[in-house]
């Protein structure tokens, strides 16, 4: 009996040791295993609860290590302006992100979360980040290589804060400047937008030559997940109304709004974000044909599809009128990860109910989770889930600011230069007795950067972040003996009585984002028109327009001697003075048609009724003239 017992105990111990060794070795944790092997191994171990958790993205305001652990949350995000604390440092961001990550790693399977942020013109939520020109300005550069470098710099500044996921690029083709997101679009011409998808390998890294089409790719800890958005047709809504209906044939949708997605997928983009807008009356968040049949099946996109902020709520009118239906419609359409972002338990409970009652098949859940895990494995997140401090010096670095300055000067479009070509006003002389700088946008860093800067809607003032205003840049550029007088809105008598050599007027739009930026009149913000009238009628004047799109200029053009479209240049105001004073020549070309009156809209190059103030592609050039 004793012999049998000893044998039995020995057998059991051996069995336990084998089991423990097997438990220790999990294929999904082994980076030497093939991607699909790792995905299958992990999927086989996951419960429904863990799978639905992976499909859930929540806002940092409702997140905690405990929440991440208890609900198996797959992703966290910062909405516009959502930060750990005001003027948070890179170290503050890393501490917060790692705290959430440790919660995820403490779960049974230790699946790391990904943290996302709207880094749409640099890491723009973060204090001291380099703020690059918004996309409309980059479209004016016609320089995809430059845009790729900007993607790489942005990736480093995002990773500097411990964040792995940028909700960028926006590859909308804005067909109506009345749209409040038009500055997020590179151009009205899909060919320019397609060329600018070169930002994706900048953000994610160059996809390997042998990589199959559509497979997501992120080249390690210095790169980020990119997101092509907003799928599809968001730039074509009626009257440019945000989140509205795009009325266009399938041929028109595929030939104007879809082409940049082909390029994005070929370049290995990891995620695609769905648009709030509708196509011919059908909400994109519920469009199974375009999300599943076309994007996933026809285009072979293998990354994951993510909703926009509360995007599934908007499937119904009014929003959230029937949340269970919204979950059903969105997930059934092919959305893999849902940006909840606040009431996440309602989403988790609703989706669990729909699966358990066979309204949504398990195959749909498995497809979603496989795609999410594919991105996490492909980017090496399981091997390097926690951020360190090795990249904090990249935030707002001199190298990146130098790159942003280059982008600014290449983005400026010279629309007018003197009354005749033989007497150009630009480049301006650096040496002059006294010059006037005027306008609401000359000394306002917040206005210069526009929306999606520190706050969602953008802010006014010079304490928003670190950078150089155009006024400061002018003072840094002119001769030391030149007197620079700044008056925001001088009256007529003041201008007449001061004997200025010339004036620089900087006016434009105040910051905005999304729906708040929708405009039917597209006017320069007051008192801009009055400033132009008071200054430009009395003294030689160059007017610099700071705006996210073409604005009404026709009434003022005759008064203005030189006219520059500077778009939303960001933090590096020296890029503006680089070309105004001739250290570099003007090279930018209009990425959009500049209308005469808003009654002409929508009006795009190639239209039968095309009669612009300045046509698409227009832009005067100057030669560098350094010795002023």
């Amino acid at each position: 009996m004793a012999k049998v017992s000893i044998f039995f105990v020995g057998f059991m111990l051996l069995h336990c040791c084998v089991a423990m060794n097997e438990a220790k070795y999990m294929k999904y944790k082994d980076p030497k295993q093939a991607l699909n092997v790792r995905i299958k191994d992990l999927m086989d171990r996951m419960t429904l609860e863990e799978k639905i958790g992976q499909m859930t993205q929540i806002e940092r305001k409702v997140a905690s290590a405990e929440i991440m652990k208890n609900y198996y949350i797959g992703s966290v995000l910062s909405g516009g302006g959502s930060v750990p604390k005001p003027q948070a440092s890179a170290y503050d961001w890393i501490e917060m992100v790692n705290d959430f990550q440790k919660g995820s790693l403490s779960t049974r399977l230790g699946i790391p979360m990904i943290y996302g942020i709207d880094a749409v013109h640099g890491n723009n939520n973060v204090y001291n980040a380099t703020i690059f020109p918004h996309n409309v300005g980059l479209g004016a550069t016609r320089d995809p290589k430059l845009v790729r470098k900007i993607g790489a710099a942005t990736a480093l500044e995002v990773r500097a804060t411990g964040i792995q996921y940028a909700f960028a690029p926006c590859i909308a083709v804005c067909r109506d400047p009345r749209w409040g997101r038009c500055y997020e679009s590179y151009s009205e011409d899909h060919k320019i937008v397609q060329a600018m998808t070169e930002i994706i390998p900048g953000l994610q890294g160059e996809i390997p030559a042998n990589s199959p089409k559509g497979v997501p790719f992120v080249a390690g800890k210095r790169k980020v997940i990119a997101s092509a958005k907003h799928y599809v047709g968001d730039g074509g809504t009626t009257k440019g109304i945000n989140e509205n209906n795009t009325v266009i044939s399938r041929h028109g949708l595929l030939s104007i709004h879809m082409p940049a997605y082909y390029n994005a997928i070929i370049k290995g983009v990891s995620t695609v974000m769905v648009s709030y807008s509708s196509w011919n009356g059908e909400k994109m968040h519920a469009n199974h044909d375009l999300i599943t049949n076309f994007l996933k099946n026809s285009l072979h996109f293998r990354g994951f599809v993510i909703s926009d902020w509360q995007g599934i709520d908007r499937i119904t009118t009014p929003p959230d009128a029937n949340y269970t239906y919204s979950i059903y419609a969105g997930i059934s359409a092919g959305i893999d990860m849902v940006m909840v972002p606040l009431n996440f338990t309602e989403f988790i409970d609703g989706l669990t109910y729909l699966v358990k009652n066979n309204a949504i098949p398990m195959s749909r859940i498995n497809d979603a989770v496989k795609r999410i895990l594919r991105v996490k494995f492909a980017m090496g997140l399981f091997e390097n889930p926690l951020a360190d401090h090795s990249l904090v010096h990249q935030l707002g670095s001199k190298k990146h600011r130098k790159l942003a300055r280059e982008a600014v000067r290449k983005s400026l479009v010279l629309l007018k230069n003197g009354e005749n070509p033989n007497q150009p006003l630009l480049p301006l002389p650096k040496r002059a007795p006294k010059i006037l700088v005027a306008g609401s946008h000359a000394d306002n860093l917040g206005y210069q950067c526009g929306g999606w800067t520190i706050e969602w809607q953008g802010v006014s003032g010079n304490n928003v972040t670190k950078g150089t205003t155009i006024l400061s840049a002018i003072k840094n550029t002119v001769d030391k003996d030149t007197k620079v007088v700044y008056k925001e809105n001088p009256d007529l008598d003041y201008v007449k009585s001061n004997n200025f050599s010339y004036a620089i007027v900087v006016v434009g739009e105040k910051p905005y984002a999304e729906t708040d930026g929708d405009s039917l009149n597209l006017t320069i913000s007051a008192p801009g028109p009055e400033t132009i009238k008071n200054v430009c009628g009395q003294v030689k004047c160059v007017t610099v327009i700071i705006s996210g799109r073409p604005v009404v200029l026709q009434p003022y053009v005759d008064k203005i001697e030189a006219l520059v479209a500077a778009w939303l240049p960001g933090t590096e105001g020296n890029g503006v003075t680089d070309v105004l004073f001739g250290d570099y020549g003007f090279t930018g070309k209009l990425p959009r048609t500049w209308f005469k009156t808003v009654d002409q809209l929508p009006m795009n190059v190639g239209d039968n009724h095309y009669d612009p103030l300045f046509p698409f592609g227009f832009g005067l050039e100057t030669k560098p003239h350094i010795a002023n």
Side-chain angles (χ1 to χ4, degrees), residues 19-329:
M20 284 172 67
N21 284 333
E22 284 181 352
K24 283 178 184 174
Y25 178 73
M26 298 180 180
K27 286 182 181 178
Y28 78 88
K29 290 188 175 181
D30 184 357
K32 293 177 182 175
Q33 293 286 346
L35 184 64
N36 288 335
V37 171
R38 299 181 78 184
I39 294 169
K40 183 179 186 308
D41 181 63
L42 182 50
M43 289 285 296
D44 288 346
R45 299 171 189 272
M46 293 175 75
T47 63
L48 176 62
E49 190 179 10
E50 288 164 331
K51 289 176 180 178
I52 289 175
Q54 284 300 301
M55 296 171 68
T56 308
Q57 184 180 64
I58 66 174
E59 222 285 332
R60 55 157 289 281
K61 291 173 185 172
V62 299
S64 68
E66 201 67 18
I67 293 290
M68 303 304 290
K69 179 181 178 181
N70 293 341
Y71 292 92
Y72 312 103
I73 300 298
S75 184
V76 182
L77 83 150
S78 276
S82 181
V83 299
K85 65 181 184 183
Q87 298 188 1
S89 69
Y91 295 97
D92 294 325
W93 281 94
I94 288 170
E95 184 180 0
M96 177 190 70
V97 174
N98 280 350
D99 181 55
F100 298 148
Q101 190 67 282
K102 287 169 185 174
S104 295
L105 297 176
S106 70
T107 56
R108 182 177 73 92
L109 296 170
I111 304 171
M113 66 91 196
I114 49 177
Y115 196 105
I117 198 164
D118 284 280
V120 298
H121 61 142
N123 196 3
N124 47 263
N125 260 354
V126 177
Y127 184 78
N128 193 34
T130 307
I131 306 298
F132 293 92
H134 267 298
N135 286 355
V136 65
L138 299 183
T141 70
R142 302 294 202 275
D143 192 342
K145 289 180 181 176
L146 174 67
V147 169
R148 179 177 177 146
K149 289 178 186 174
I150 289 170
T154 300
L156 286 170
E157 297 211 13
V158 171
R159 282 289 197 167
T161 55
I163 295 169
Q164 317 100 337
Y165 185 9
F167 301 133
C170 176
I171 53 174
V173 182
C174 175
R175 303 290 285 175
D176 193 323
R178 292 174 290 187
W179 186 36
R181 302 195 82 147
C182 204
Y183 63 75
E184 296 184 57
S185 167
Y186 294 106
S187 178
E188 71 189 44
D189 181 357
H190 70 83
K191 290 176 185 174
I192 292 174
V193 179
Q194 286 180 271
M196 296 305 174
T197 60
E198 197 60 17
I199 195 171
I200 292 169
L203 289 164
Q204 295 193 157
E206 184 71 46
I207 192 165
N210 59 349
S211 181
K213 179 187 172 186
V215 174
F217 175 75
V218 181
K221 294 194 293 181
R222 296 168 69 88
K223 297 294 181 180
V224 294
I225 300 165
S227 185
K229 66 183 190 182
H230 305 87
Y231 186 82
V232 61
D234 51 334
T237 58
T238 302
K239 294 185 179 178
I241 297 170
N242 193 42
E243 303 184 21
N244 202 27
N245 190 26
T246 298
V247 180
I248 194 170
S249 67
R250 189 178 186 89
H251 173 75
L253 187 80
L254 297 186
S255 60
I256 295 172
H257 298 284
M258 191 68 79
Y261 287 94
Y262 307 152
N263 298 78
I265 291 165
I266 288 167
K267 290 172 182 177
V269 74
S270 295
T271 72
V272 169
M273 186 183 292
V274 183
S275 176
Y276 287 129
S277 59
S278 303
W279 175 46
N280 294 337
E282 184 178 357
K283 292 277 188 179
M284 275 307 310
H285 273 75
N287 195 314
H288 180 272
D289 178 48
L290 285 176
I291 296 173
T292 296
N293 291 348
F294 195 78
L295 178 64
K296 291 183 174 181
N297 296 342
S298 296
L299 299 185
H300 304 291
F301 174 63
R302 293 290 176 264
F304 68 81
V305 175
I306 187 168
S307 81
D308 207 332
W309 176 282
Q310 295 179 332
I312 64 168
D313 304 45
R314 269 117 144 148
I315 289 172
T316 60
T317 304
D320 201 21
N322 183 341
Y323 195 61
T324 303
Y325 169 74
S326 292
I327 297 170
Y328 168 79

Side-chain angles (χ1 to χ4, degrees), residues 529-546:
E530 183 186 8
T531 308
I532 293 171
K533 182 181 174 185
N534 289 346
V535 177
C536 295
Q538 311 306 317
V539 62
K540 279 196 259 186
C541 126
V542 53
T543 297
V544 179
I545 304 295
I546 305 294

Side-chain angles (χ1 to χ4, degrees), residues 522-601:
L522 295 177
T523 51
I524 293 169
S525 299
E530 183 186 8
T531 308
I532 293 171
K533 182 181 174 185
N534 289 346
V535 177
C536 295
Q538 311 306 317
V539 62
K540 279 196 259 186
C541 126
V542 53
T543 297
V544 179
I545 304 295
I546 305 294
S547 69
R549 54 201 166 184
V551 289
V552 172
L553 286 180
Q554 193 177 34
Y556 325 118
V557 171
D558 288 345
K559 284 188 173 66
I560 298 168
E561 195 154 4
L563 179 61
V564 178
W567 315 110
L568 297 169
T571 50
E572 307 314 301
N574 288 308
V576 176
T577 53
D578 280 345
V579 285
L580 286 184
F581 291 95
D583 293 334
Y584 294 83
F586 279 91
T587 57
K589 303 296 178 187
L590 283 181
R592 312 204 49 76
T593 297
W594 207 293
F595 58 85
K596 291 177 180 174
T597 70
V598 291
D599 295 338
Q600 296 175 296
L601 300 175

Side-chain angles (χ1 to χ4, degrees), residues 498-531:
N498 265 280
N499 197 28
F500 292 112
S501 305
Y502 59 83
I504 301 171
V505 176
V506 191
V507 294
E509 295 185 297
K510 290 177 181 175
Y512 55 82
E514 300 192 43
T515 303
D516 285 10
D518 289 353
S519 172
L520 294 178
N521 55 35
L522 295 177
T523 51
I524 293 169
S525 299
E530 183 186 8
T531 308

